[in-house]
Amino acid sequence: MKITPPGLNFEIIVVDDGSTDTTASIAKKFSNYYGHTKVISYFPNKGKGFAVKTGVLAAEGNLILYNDADGSAPIQELCKLEEQLLLGYDIALGSRNKDNNGSEVQFLLHRKIIGTLFNTLVKVFLVREFHDTQCGFKLFTKESAKNVFPLLTEQRFAFDIEVLFIAKHLGYKASEVGINWSNVKGSKVNLILDSYRMFISIFKVRVRRFKSKNTKVKQLNYENPNHLEMNNLL
């Protein structure tokens, strides 16, 4: 099996967020065969936001992609995001709600309901520019990722909106592009409980936004993460 196209230099970072199944052991076996794979495992579970932040801060590449491990977004869609960075954007967001030359999206009904509700709340209270803030397929330049993620405080699945909020305040440009996406069985989304959690998360980010409204934000130097303390922004 050969997974490395000629001339392509990349790394794969698998973050095991306190899982109780065989995720970590399978990933470690894979990494034994492919030296460009790194496995980070910890316990107990700390949330998707914490896991993504951990992986991003461990990444060494010039471009940093975070991608949900269920494969809902085919990795081939990466080319669409790379095109946006070549156009001068710092961040490219995969979107399930923005049409892009016939992109195909397959939703389960309950996921579509909760996604629509969440995106509506985000547009009303936080960032209005984007059609889909929660798609787990986003590409960053190294500079933007290393400056944004050290400031992230939201540890659960609503972390994406805080990432975009911080990026906006640091002056980074983000582009949204429609991608192919299909639902994968095994979702643990609870329509009632997760809707409530989402609202609380939006409220917390909104409160931090008001606190930082009159604060002058300086850009971090990712080679010196102490350049800006978190409370200067949040």
Side-chain angles (χ1 to χ4, degrees):
M1 175 181 175
K2 186 174 180 60
I3 63 171
T4 308
L8 181 62
N9 183 21
F10 70 97
E11 63 179 346
I12 299 173
I13 299 176
V14 180
V15 181
D16 173 39
D17 184 30
S19 66
T20 56
D21 56 17
T22 57
T23 298
S25 61
I26 292 174
K28 288 176 181 176
K29 286 181 181 179
F30 182 84
S31 69
N32 290 334
Y33 289 96
Y34 300 100
H36 53 252
T37 303
K38 182 188 302 182
V39 180
I40 302 173
S41 186
Y42 52 80
F43 196 84
N45 172 277
K46 295 181 181 294
K48 182 178 179 180
F50 185 91
V52 172
K53 178 179 179 178
T54 299
V56 168
L57 295 183
E60 299 177 1
N62 291 324
L63 300 180
I64 300 175
L65 172 79
Y66 72 76
N67 182 19
D68 289 343
D70 61 6
S72 295
I75 194 62
Q76 290 84 352
E77 298 299 282
L78 174 60
C79 295
K80 296 178 181 178
L81 304 190
E82 287 180 309
E83 289 174 357
Q84 299 305 302
L85 298 194
L86 290 174
L87 291 174
Y89 290 98
D90 306 294
I91 304 168
L93 319 177
S95 176
R96 299 160 294 185
N97 296 332
K98 185 175 182 181
D99 182 53
N100 185 64
N101 297 325
S103 295
E104 203 172 304
V105 176
Q106 300 175 5
F107 271 119
L108 288 180
L109 179 60
H110 74 282
R111 291 194 66 126
K112 187 171 182 63
I113 292 173
I114 197 171
T116 301
L117 173 63
F118 187 79
N119 287 327
T120 300
L121 292 174
V122 170
K123 282 179 174 290
V124 171
F125 293 107
L126 288 169
V127 287
R128 301 179 181 179
E129 298 94 332
F130 306 112
H131 297 79
D132 182 8
T133 59
Q134 300 310 110
C135 183
F137 198 73
K138 294 181 174 67
L139 183 67
F140 297 75
T141 62
K142 183 176 185 178
E143 178 191 317
S144 64
K146 298 298 186 178
N147 286 331
V148 168
F149 278 88
L151 303 176
L152 180 67
T153 61
E154 177 61 46
Q155 295 191 351
R156 297 294 169 179
F157 56 82
F159 75 96
D160 298 79
I161 57 174
E162 187 175 22
V163 165
L164 295 177
F165 165 62
I166 295 170
K168 181 177 180 180
H169 275 253
L170 290 178
Y172 290 115
K173 297 187 300 179
S175 174
E176 185 178 19
V177 58
I179 61 170
N180 293 311
W181 190 93
S182 60
N183 183 74
V184 175
K185 292 182 179 180
S187 170
K188 298 179 181 178
V189 174
N190 182 294
L191 182 59
I192 304 301
L193 181 60
D194 288 331
S195 295
Y196 170 75
R197 288 173 175 170
M198 285 178 175
F199 179 78
I200 296 300
S201 297
I202 290 173
F203 178 75
K204 288 193 297 183
V205 176
R206 176 72 173 176
V207 169
R208 288 195 286 268
R209 177 176 178 177
F210 274 117
K211 288 182 178 180
S212 64
K213 187 175 182 180
N214 297 317
T215 301
K216 184 178 181 180
V217 178
K218 296 180 180 180
Q219 183 174 326
L220 272 168
N221 175 354
Y222 67 82
E223 295 179 352
N224 179 16
N226 294 320
H227 179 69
L228 176 65
E229 293 181 1
M230 187 176 298
N231 58 14
N232 286 339
L233 175 63
L234 305 176

